[in-house]
Protein backbone atom coordinates (compact mmCIF):
# COMPACT_ATOMS: atom_id res chain seq x y z
CA UNK A 1 0.00 0.00 0.00
CA UNK A 2 1.31 3.42 -1.00
CA UNK A 3 0.32 6.38 1.18
CA UNK A 4 0.62 10.09 0.52
CA UNK A 5 -1.60 13.18 0.47
CA UNK A 6 -3.44 14.44 -2.59
CA UNK A 7 -5.01 17.91 -2.48
CA UNK A 8 -5.02 17.82 1.32
CA UNK A 9 -6.59 14.36 1.56
CA UNK A 10 -4.67 11.26 2.66
CA UNK A 11 -4.77 8.50 0.05
CA UNK A 12 -3.81 4.84 0.16
CA UNK A 13 -3.29 3.22 -3.21
CA UNK A 14 -3.49 -0.56 -3.39
CA UNK A 15 -1.65 -0.52 -6.70
CA UNK A 16 1.70 -1.71 -7.96
CA UNK A 17 4.25 0.78 -6.53
CA UNK A 18 5.68 1.25 -10.03
CA UNK A 19 2.36 2.68 -11.26
CA UNK A 20 2.87 6.20 -12.63
CA UNK A 21 1.30 8.86 -10.44
CA UNK A 22 -0.66 10.10 -13.47
CA UNK A 23 -2.66 6.88 -13.67
CA UNK A 24 -3.21 6.65 -9.92
CA UNK A 25 -4.63 10.18 -9.95
CA UNK A 26 -6.79 9.70 -13.04
CA UNK A 27 -7.92 6.09 -12.62
CA UNK A 28 -8.02 5.52 -8.87
CA UNK A 29 -8.80 9.04 -7.62
CA UNK A 30 -10.84 10.28 -10.60
CA UNK A 31 -8.78 13.49 -10.75
CA UNK A 32 -8.97 13.86 -14.51
CA UNK A 33 -7.69 17.44 -14.69
CA UNK A 34 -4.18 15.99 -14.91
CA UNK A 35 -3.87 15.01 -18.58
CA UNK A 36 -1.95 12.30 -20.40
CA UNK A 37 -0.01 13.91 -23.21
CA UNK A 38 3.11 12.05 -24.27
CA UNK A 39 3.89 9.57 -21.49
CA UNK A 40 7.57 10.47 -21.73
CA UNK A 41 7.70 13.56 -19.50
CA UNK A 42 8.24 15.88 -22.44
CA UNK A 43 4.99 17.81 -22.93
CA UNK A 44 4.05 18.69 -19.34
CA UNK A 45 0.29 18.11 -19.69
CA UNK A 46 0.52 15.89 -16.60
CA UNK A 47 2.36 18.42 -14.38
CA UNK A 48 1.43 18.33 -10.69
CA UNK A 49 3.19 19.62 -7.58
CA UNK A 50 4.96 17.12 -5.33
CA UNK A 51 5.95 18.84 -2.10
CA UNK A 52 5.55 22.14 -3.97
CA UNK A 53 7.83 21.21 -6.87
CA UNK A 54 6.36 20.81 -10.37
CA UNK A 55 6.79 17.25 -11.60
CA UNK A 56 5.66 15.35 -14.72
CA UNK A 57 3.35 12.79 -13.11
CA UNK A 58 3.74 10.30 -15.97
CA UNK A 59 7.37 9.86 -14.89
CA UNK A 60 6.85 9.49 -11.13
CA UNK A 61 6.13 6.07 -9.62
CA UNK A 62 3.70 6.17 -6.71
CA UNK A 63 6.06 4.01 -4.65
CA UNK A 64 8.71 6.73 -4.90
CA UNK A 65 6.59 9.46 -3.33
CA UNK A 66 5.46 7.80 -0.10
CA UNK A 67 4.62 10.43 2.51
CA UNK A 68 4.64 13.41 0.13
CA UNK A 69 2.09 16.14 -0.56
CA UNK A 70 0.68 16.09 -4.11
CA UNK A 71 -1.33 18.96 -5.53
CA UNK A 72 -3.25 18.64 -8.79
CA UNK A 73 -5.09 21.31 -10.77
CA UNK A 74 -8.21 20.40 -8.78
CA UNK A 75 -6.33 21.21 -5.56
CA UNK A 76 -4.86 24.51 -6.73
CA UNK A 77 -8.18 26.14 -5.81
CA UNK A 78 -11.67 24.77 -5.47
CA UNK A 79 -13.28 27.69 -7.32
CA UNK A 80 -10.74 28.76 -9.98
CA UNK A 81 -9.75 31.73 -7.81
CA UNK A 82 -5.99 31.09 -7.88
CA UNK A 83 -4.25 34.13 -9.44
CA UNK A 84 -2.84 32.07 -12.31
CA UNK A 85 -6.25 30.59 -13.10
CA UNK A 86 -7.81 34.06 -13.02
CA UNK A 87 -5.08 35.42 -15.32
CA UNK A 88 -5.68 32.51 -17.69
CA UNK A 89 -9.36 33.41 -17.83
CA UNK A 90 -8.70 37.14 -18.21
CA UNK A 91 -6.25 36.61 -21.08
CA UNK A 92 -8.39 33.89 -22.71
CA UNK A 93 -5.33 31.65 -22.87
CA UNK A 94 -6.80 28.24 -23.76
CA UNK A 95 -7.57 27.29 -27.29
CA UNK A 96 -8.06 23.51 -27.16
CA UNK A 97 -7.21 23.61 -23.45
CA UNK A 98 -5.55 20.19 -23.31
CA UNK A 99 -2.20 21.39 -21.96
CA UNK A 100 -3.59 24.10 -19.74
CA UNK A 101 -3.86 22.31 -16.39
CA UNK A 102 -0.22 21.23 -16.57
CA UNK A 103 0.81 24.67 -17.80
CA UNK A 104 -1.07 26.38 -14.96
CA UNK A 105 0.57 24.08 -12.41
CA UNK A 106 4.04 24.83 -13.80
CA UNK A 107 3.35 28.58 -13.77
CA UNK A 108 1.93 28.51 -10.23
CA UNK A 109 5.15 26.85 -9.04
CA UNK A 110 7.29 29.39 -10.90
CA UNK A 111 5.46 32.37 -9.41
CA UNK A 112 5.74 30.90 -5.94
CA UNK A 113 9.54 31.06 -6.17
CA UNK A 114 9.93 33.99 -8.57
CA UNK A 115 7.32 36.71 -8.04
CA UNK A 116 8.18 38.70 -11.18
CA UNK A 117 9.93 36.50 -13.77
CA UNK A 118 11.45 37.98 -16.89
CA UNK A 119 10.62 36.55 -20.30
CA UNK A 120 13.94 34.69 -20.24
CA UNK A 121 13.15 33.19 -16.82
CA UNK A 122 9.72 32.12 -18.04
CA UNK A 123 11.27 30.44 -21.08
CA UNK A 124 13.79 28.61 -18.89
CA UNK A 125 11.23 27.49 -16.30
CA UNK A 126 8.11 26.71 -18.30
CA UNK A 127 9.03 23.90 -20.66
CA UNK A 128 5.48 22.64 -21.13
CA UNK A 129 4.30 22.33 -24.71
CA UNK A 130 1.14 23.90 -26.10
CA UNK A 131 -0.13 22.15 -29.21
CA UNK A 132 -2.11 25.23 -30.24
CA UNK A 133 0.79 27.65 -29.84
CA UNK A 134 -0.87 30.08 -27.42
CA UNK A 135 2.53 31.07 -26.05
CA UNK A 136 2.02 34.85 -26.43
CA UNK A 137 -1.21 34.67 -24.38
CA UNK A 138 0.49 32.36 -21.86
CA UNK A 139 3.33 34.85 -21.37
CA UNK A 140 0.85 37.73 -21.05
CA UNK A 141 -1.15 35.78 -18.44
CA UNK A 142 2.02 34.97 -16.48
CA UNK A 143 2.95 38.64 -16.34
CA UNK A 144 -0.63 39.56 -15.41
CA UNK A 145 -0.67 37.05 -12.54
CA UNK A 146 2.76 38.25 -11.39
CA UNK A 147 1.54 41.85 -11.39
CA UNK A 148 -1.49 40.89 -9.29
CA UNK A 149 -3.87 42.21 -11.96
CA UNK A 150 -5.98 39.09 -11.99
CA UNK A 151 -9.53 40.12 -11.35
CA UNK A 152 -9.97 43.03 -13.73
CA UNK A 153 -12.99 42.17 -15.85
CA UNK A 154 -13.14 38.54 -14.75
CA UNK A 155 -16.30 37.17 -13.21
CA UNK A 156 -15.32 34.73 -10.47
CA UNK A 157 -17.14 31.41 -10.15
CA UNK A 158 -20.38 31.69 -8.24
CA UNK A 159 -21.15 35.11 -9.72
CA UNK A 160 -24.72 35.54 -10.96
CA UNK A 161 -25.29 36.03 -14.69
CA UNK A 162 -26.34 39.65 -14.22
CA UNK A 163 -23.28 40.37 -12.06
CA UNK A 164 -21.01 38.67 -14.61
CA UNK A 165 -22.54 40.81 -17.38
CA UNK A 166 -21.76 43.92 -15.35
CA UNK A 167 -18.16 42.89 -14.56
CA UNK A 168 -16.98 41.18 -17.74
CA UNK A 169 -16.63 43.02 -21.03
CA UNK A 170 -19.30 42.00 -23.50
CA UNK A 171 -18.54 39.95 -26.55
CA UNK A 172 -19.90 41.48 -29.76
CA UNK A 173 -20.78 38.98 -32.46
CA UNK A 174 -19.28 39.92 -35.81
CA UNK A 175 -20.29 38.35 -39.11
CA UNK A 176 -17.77 35.86 -40.43
CA UNK A 177 -15.77 36.90 -43.46
CA UNK A 178 -15.33 34.20 -46.05
CA UNK A 179 -12.54 34.47 -48.59
CA UNK A 180 -12.12 32.24 -51.59
Amino acid sequence: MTKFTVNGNPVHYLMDPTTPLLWALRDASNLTGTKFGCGAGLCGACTVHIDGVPQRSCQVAIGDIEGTLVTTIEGLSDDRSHPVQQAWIAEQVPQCGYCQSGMIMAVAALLKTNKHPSDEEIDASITNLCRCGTYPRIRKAIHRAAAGDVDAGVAVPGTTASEAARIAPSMVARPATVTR
Side-chain angles (χ1 to χ4, degrees):
M1 181 182 319
T2 304
K3 299 177 185 181
F4 49 92
T5 302
V6 177
N7 298 334
N9 300 306
V11 295
H12 306 152
Y13 290 116
L14 298 173
M15 305 169 85
D16 182 328
T18 64
T19 300
L21 175 60
L22 169 65
W23 299 118
L25 293 170
R26 290 183 60 81
D27 294 345
S29 294
N30 199 31
L31 295 170
T32 57
T34 304
K35 305 296 184 199
F36 172 78
C38 66
L42 303 172
C43 73
C46 67
T47 302
V48 299
H49 297 174
I50 301 173
D51 288 337
V53 177
Q55 298 284 320
R56 309 288 166 95
S57 64
C58 70
Q59 298 298 294
V60 177
I62 61 173
D64 293 340
I65 59 169
E66 184 88 26
T68 63
L69 302 173
V70 175
T71 306
T72 68
I73 189 72
E74 293 91 348
L76 196 58
S77 77
D78 61 1
D79 63 356
R80 297 183 304 277
S81 63
H82 188 278
V84 176
Q85 292 170 311
Q86 286 294 294
W88 244 241
I89 294 166
E91 294 301 332
Q92 300 177 20
V93 171
Q95 188 164 319
C96 83
Y98 198 81
C99 68
Q100 297 308 306
S101 60
M103 189 79 71
I104 288 169
M105 295 303 289
V107 171
L110 168 64
L111 293 180
K112 195 171 188 176
T113 60
N114 185 344
K115 301 291 185 203
H116 298 285
S118 66
D119 287 344
E120 294 77 23
E121 291 167 325
I122 291 169
D123 292 345
S125 297
I126 308 301
T127 59
N128 299 50
L129 300 177
C130 174
R131 297 171 181 176
C132 300
T134 64
Y135 298 109
R137 292 190 307 235
I138 290 167
R139 183 183 309 278
K140 194 171 179 184
I142 293 169
H143 288 301
R144 185 177 192 142
D149 182 23
V150 295
D151 62 350
V154 179
V156 296
T159 304
T160 65
S162 61
E163 182 67 8
R166 187 185 66 74
I167 296 170
S170 63
M171 301 280 292
V172 177
R174 294 188 178 101
T177 304
V178 178
T179 57
R180 294 179 196 216

